[in-house]
Amino acid sequence: IKANFTDLTGLEAECLVANNGDFKASIFQDTYFRDCEFEGANFEGCNMVGMQVVDSYFRKANFKEADLKYMVMNVSFAEGACFDEADLTGAKLLDTAFDGSSFKKAKLINVMADDASFKDADLTGANLSGGSFKNSDFRGAKLTNIIWDDAQLEGALWDNK
């Protein structure tokens, strides 16, 4: 699927397979995806404000510089994905796996990411201010120059160094 610069506002889809799809700079505002596959898809610079995702796959997807404010992602998989410089302010990322993903200079301000997995993720320069990361897994993650102001980290898992 190639749908660059496409307005998909309000789209609802179940069981959609769009692996390696190219959606660069498209609009996904207020969309809903359930049990979908977007492995290796390109969402660079997309407007995904208010998008809702349940039980979907985004392995190795590219969300660089995407606007993901207030996104809801539940019980999904985004291992090895790129969220560099993305804005996830106010997002709910519950029980989702981001293992090996990159969040360099990403904004995760006031996110709710309880029970999420950030194993081996690169969070260099990310802003996690005010976020809830209760019981989240940060083992092996790169945690350099992160802003943690008022972040809730009860029960989070860390490397024993």
Side-chain angles (χ1 to χ4, degrees):
I1 295 176
K2 185 169 177 111
N4 293 338
F5 305 97
T6 304
D7 188 348
L8 300 167
T9 298
L11 175 70
E12 294 185 19
E14 290 193 31
C15 302
L16 173 69
V17 177
N19 293 330
N20 299 308
D22 191 356
F23 302 99
K24 184 175 181 177
S26 291
I27 301 170
F28 286 86
Q29 280 189 301
D30 301 318
T31 54
Y32 175 81
F33 295 104
R34 181 181 185 84
D35 197 22
C36 295
E37 295 182 27
F38 294 96
E39 187 165 340
N42 182 22
F43 298 102
E44 183 174 352
C46 284
N47 178 342
M48 303 173 115
V49 174
M51 182 168 100
Q52 295 184 43
V53 176
V54 178
D55 192 26
S56 294
Y57 296 86
F58 293 90
R59 289 184 181 103
K60 298 184 180 177
N62 180 19
F63 294 94
K64 184 174 181 169
E65 299 175 349
D67 187 350
L68 301 160
K69 287 191 282 288
Y70 310 108
M71 170 192 208
V72 176
M73 186 180 280
N74 287 324
V75 192
S76 294
F77 304 89
E79 297 101 329
C82 176
F83 292 90
D84 293 349
E85 300 178 55
D87 188 349
L88 292 101
T89 299
K92 293 182 181 176
L93 311 170
L94 304 174
D95 201 21
T96 294
F98 298 101
D99 299 350
S101 291
S102 181
F103 288 87
K104 294 176 188 168
K105 297 183 180 177
K107 294 178 185 174
L108 289 98
I109 300 166
N110 296 320
V111 301
M112 182 175 283
D114 297 345
D115 300 305
S117 180
F118 295 92
K119 282 185 190 175
D120 301 313
D122 187 347
L123 291 138
T124 301
N127 186 340
L128 282 62
S129 296
S132 179
F133 298 91
K134 295 176 185 174
N135 303 311
S136 290
D137 192 342
F138 291 97
R139 290 177 291 182
K142 189 171 182 181
L143 305 170
T144 307
N145 297 323
I146 292 179
I147 300 170
W148 296 97
D149 297 343
D150 300 316
Q152 299 173 29
L153 302 163
E154 296 84 10
L157 299 174
W158 311 92
D159 288 323
N160 293 325
K161 291 184 179 180

